Amino acid sequence: MKKHAEPRTYSKPGKFGKYGGQYVPETLMEPLRALEEAYNRFSRDPSFKKELAGLLDDFAGRPTPLYLASNLTGHVGGARVYLKREDLLHGGAHKINNTLGQALLAKKMGKRRIIAETGAGQHGVATAMACAALGLRAEVYMGSEDMDRQRLNVYRMKMLGAKVHPVESGSKTLKDAINEALRDWVTNVQDTYYLLGSVVGPHPYPTMVRDFQSVIGKEARKQILQQEGRLPKAVVACVGGGSNSIGIFHSFLDDLDVDLYGIEAGGESLSPGQNAAPLVAGREGVLHGMMTYVLQDEVGQVQATRSISAGLDYPGVGPEHAFLMTAERAKYVTVSDEGALEAFKNLSQLEGIMPALESAHAISYTMKLARSLGTRDSIIVNLSGRGDKDVEIVAKHLPQ
Amino acid sequence: MPNTSRNDDRIEAKFGELRGLREGALVAYLTGGDPDPKTFLANSTALIEGGADIVEIGIPFSDPIADGPVIQASSMRALSNGTTPLGILNMIRELSTQFPVPFVVLSYYNPILAMGLDRFLQKARESGVDGIVVPDLPVEESEEFRNLSLKHNVDNIYLAAPNTSRTRLRTVLDKSKGFLYLVSLYGVTGPRDSLSPQALEAVRAVKSLARGKIPVSAGFGISQPEHVSAVIQSGADGAIVGSALVRIVGNHLDDPSEAETQLKKTVQSLKEATRPSSN
């Protein structure tokens, strides 16, 4: 990993090197401009910041602990492993950091109708929670295939007052849910706010969502300095769209001695259609309004993805990750379905903590990395969500 | 070099010719390779025989965010038959060597990027493509693409929407070649029963800024002769009809010759509506 990278030499707002941008239909250019302007204004407004901080603390449960996983550390025999406990947040995942920020922004902008996409349902649930708390109307697009796989989350969204629209187009998963949400937004731009769930899509979303999620890294950096007296050797997080990883990476970007590892879903294998690892197995392209790395065939059609964890099951990735990879500031690797399942079991049994299958990918790599480091080193892994939602899937694969 | 006989600026020339006749242009759209290459070629021929002034061919994409269900379904049909961008350019070549009508290609940006901008535009030009519309490439992101389009003499047709600001409108009017594609409503492509409330107002607003420098064609939700005559009477130089035609293809998958007949008849009545006598 490069030690002298200039990770923040972004060429202009909304661009991360050549990645990012606004590759959208003309009708969305004006609402994106209005969104950027509103975000720039409110994100500097002390009363907005105070209100959001209050919600994050008292509604969502921040700050989250940085927990030394001593049993896991002992088991692995190497660097000390710290878990950033985003799994303890309201809703069970880091998603709420972003939905509270954007829902509050939407409210300030005078928008009352909120639309969102969801894959596994975690962002949909977090959107429904934030909207209920702030008195906004939520409508969530979800692939019909995902609705079958994640029935419990569909029920949670409905219970929280959200309307769930099944998406029957394309592969009927997250990518198609984003397509459908964009189509809704193009149609209802005047009164609708699109609450995107990750650091993907057209500018300003990758920047705005990163800012809302960067609270994770800000806390973690302060906590590790308090607990260890020095910075960790590495920070590890899973990457689907990439919001929890960018959120924890961001505060460490200038700490060039801290290695950053993003873990993509290796699925069954790295063959086409068998994984969800655009940075490792894809190439540059444009999808959902951004220039980034995309899993696609030779003629530019977006490929189907596969991962045991629905939250990583996406053929694109946040443009800032594409930049951090090509600038060699962060390293991106894969962990397979099997590796994630093994880590799910390990963390559950060693620490009494069931990780989300997404986060289990990061746990798996962390265990490998910890083994290769000395006992004086430490690693922070972002435990981005809890695993209750995945118990059924895990039970199917790990019969015991 | 094939198609050296096809002149440059044929779109501009077509609008000039129609102006002389006091007619609007009918731009007729089909999705390339839908439902299969042979039927697509026959259907395109039906559009031309029905009187389409400009033929617009869509390159199917897996994630068409600006399109409604009708064109989404046609894209899936074409893709499931193994249609590729290069394959479609070859089909256009077959058509352009037979018919003098100008051809416009509509493609999302990723298939173009995958082939390489320069190579795509060169192949397009060699196939007789006169203009190109990229619905997810706004003017801010298109500098390189625009320069290469100029180099290859393929008109880069930008889009404007009802909420495009006057400043942006000036820019796209200035940078667009061939014509400006006016999205006449808030929404995705697809046939509607009536014209959107914004359509005619948008046409007038854009025309007042265009000041005759570049033709303006209105599309999205324009499916019937009355819609065509209404936008032309409001000052549009052309009307773009897509989903209404693609729907005919989709409705007659078991009877392709009926699709041809229907397409030709529909285009005839739409074309009739671009003439002054239609009021």
Side-chain angles (χ1 to χ4, degrees), chain A residues 208-247:
Chain A
M208 180 170 68
V209 177
R210 174 251 279 157
D211 290 352
F212 286 135
Q213 291 293 1
S214 61
V215 62
I216 306 173
K218 278 181 204 150
E219 286 177 9
R221 194 173 183 282
K222 213 179 289 171
Q223 289 165 322
I224 196 80
L225 287 173
Q226 278 165 5
Q227 296 177 41
E228 280 281 310
R230 59 177 182 146
L231 290 170
K233 185 82 188 66
V235 175
V236 183
C238 64
V239 181
S243 69
N244 89 77
S245 43
I246 218 76

Side-chain angles (χ1 to χ4, degrees), chain B residues 46-92:
Chain B
L47 300 187
I48 296 163
E49 288 174 355
D53 297 302
I54 295 172
V55 175
E56 184 188 1
I57 306 294
I59 290 183
F61 181 48
S62 52
D63 296 84
I65 54 174
D67 287 302
V70 173
I71 292 181
Q72 286 175 44
S74 72
S75 305
M76 291 307 131
R77 286 195 296 268
L79 288 174
S80 65
N81 274 305
T83 302
T84 64
L86 211 49
I88 290 171
L89 294 180
N90 286 333
M91 292 177 221
I92 294 176

Side-chain angles (χ1 to χ4, degrees), chain A residues 104-136:
Chain A
L104 189 60
L105 178 63
K107 193 170 174 176
K108 301 285 180 200
M109 289 173 75
K111 308 272 185 182
R112 286 291 176 271
R113 177 177 182 262
I114 308 294
I115 56 168
E117 81 295 337
T118 197
Q122 293 302 105
H123 174 58
V125 168
T127 299
M129 285 172 167
C131 287
L134 294 172
L136 302 166

Side-chain angles (χ1 to χ4, degrees), chain B residues 192-265:
Chain B
R192 271 78 163 175
D193 290 337
S194 55
L195 215 50
S196 85
Q198 304 91 19
L200 302 183
E201 196 186 317
V203 168
R204 280 183 219 116
V206 174
K207 278 302 286 185
S208 75
L209 276 183
R211 293 173 195 280
K213 277 187 295 195
I214 184 159
V216 174
S217 298
F220 280 51
I222 294 174
S223 55
Q224 292 168 22
E226 307 85 76
H227 307 164
V228 171
S229 56
V231 293
I232 302 286
Q233 279 174 45
S234 295
D237 303 281
I240 307 163
V241 181
S243 297
L245 302 174
V246 173
R247 187 168 55 181
I248 294 173
V249 177
N251 284 347
H252 297 92
L253 295 174
D254 298 333
D255 189 357
S257 75
E258 179 60 19
E260 277 177 65
T261 311
Q262 292 286 332
L263 282 169
K264 191 169 165 181
K265 229 172 73 185

Side-chain angles (χ1 to χ4, degrees), chain A residues 110-338:
Chain A
K111 308 272 185 182
R112 286 291 176 271
R113 177 177 182 262
I114 308 294
I115 56 168
E117 81 295 337
T118 197
Q122 293 302 105
H123 174 58
V125 168
T127 299
M129 285 172 167
C131 287
L134 294 172
L136 302 166
R137 196 152 49 96
E139 296 184 29
V140 180
Y141 287 92
M142 186 171 189
S144 58
E145 199 132 297
D146 287 338
M147 286 178 75
D148 288 342
R149 290 194 285 190
Q150 304 283 343
R151 252 168 300 176
L152 192 61
N153 271 342
V154 175
Y155 185 72
R156 290 168 85 197
M157 284 185 269
K158 287 181 178 166
M159 182 53 73
L160 290 159
K163 194 169 166 187
V164 182
H165 298 288
V167 175
E168 302 286 353
S169 59
S171 59
K172 302 173 189 173
T173 59
L174 175 59
K175 142 182 115 68
D176 310 283
I178 296 179
N179 291 341
E180 219 50 63
L182 285 167
R183 289 177 188 127
D184 179 315
W185 201 27
V186 164
T187 309
N188 301 296
V189 277
Q190 284 138 318
D191 70 343
T192 297
Y193 182 97
Y194 180 19
L195 205 165
L196 195 37
S198 191
V199 287
V200 299
H203 177 66
Y205 287 103
T207 300
M208 180 170 68
V209 177
R210 174 251 279 157
D211 290 352
F212 286 135
Q213 291 293 1
S214 61
V215 62
I216 306 173
K218 278 181 204 150
E219 286 177 9
R221 194 173 183 282
K222 213 179 289 171
Q223 289 165 322
I224 196 80
L225 287 173
Q226 278 165 5
Q227 296 177 41
E228 280 281 310
R230 59 177 182 146
L231 290 170
K233 185 82 188 66
V235 175
V236 183
C238 64
V239 181
S243 69
N244 89 77
S245 43
I246 218 76
I248 196 163
F249 286 176
H250 225 257
S251 289
F252 296 95
L253 280 186
D254 292 334
D255 301 319
L256 296 177
D257 288 332
V258 178
D259 294 337
L260 307 175
Y261 293 95
I263 316 303
E264 292 195 308
E268 283 280 314
S269 76
L270 289 184
S271 312
Q274 298 302 309
N275 60 77
L279 290 168
V280 172
R283 59 174 210 281
E284 282 174 11
V286 165
L287 176 67
H288 294 147
M290 57 179 166
M291 170 87 68
T292 185
Y293 273 66
V294 179
L295 287 166
Q296 55 184 313
D297 66 15
E298 306 80 62
V299 297
Q301 304 297 345
V302 179
Q303 275 168 337
T305 53
R306 177 175 179 161
S307 168
I308 193 165
S309 92
L312 302 182
D313 215 347
Y314 179 60
V317 61
E320 193 165 3
H321 286 294
F323 173 74
L324 291 175
M325 180 178 77
T326 51
E328 296 179 35
R329 176 62 190 97
K331 202 173 169 198
Y332 296 86
V333 298
T334 59
V335 163
S336 68
D337 286 351
E338 210 188 327

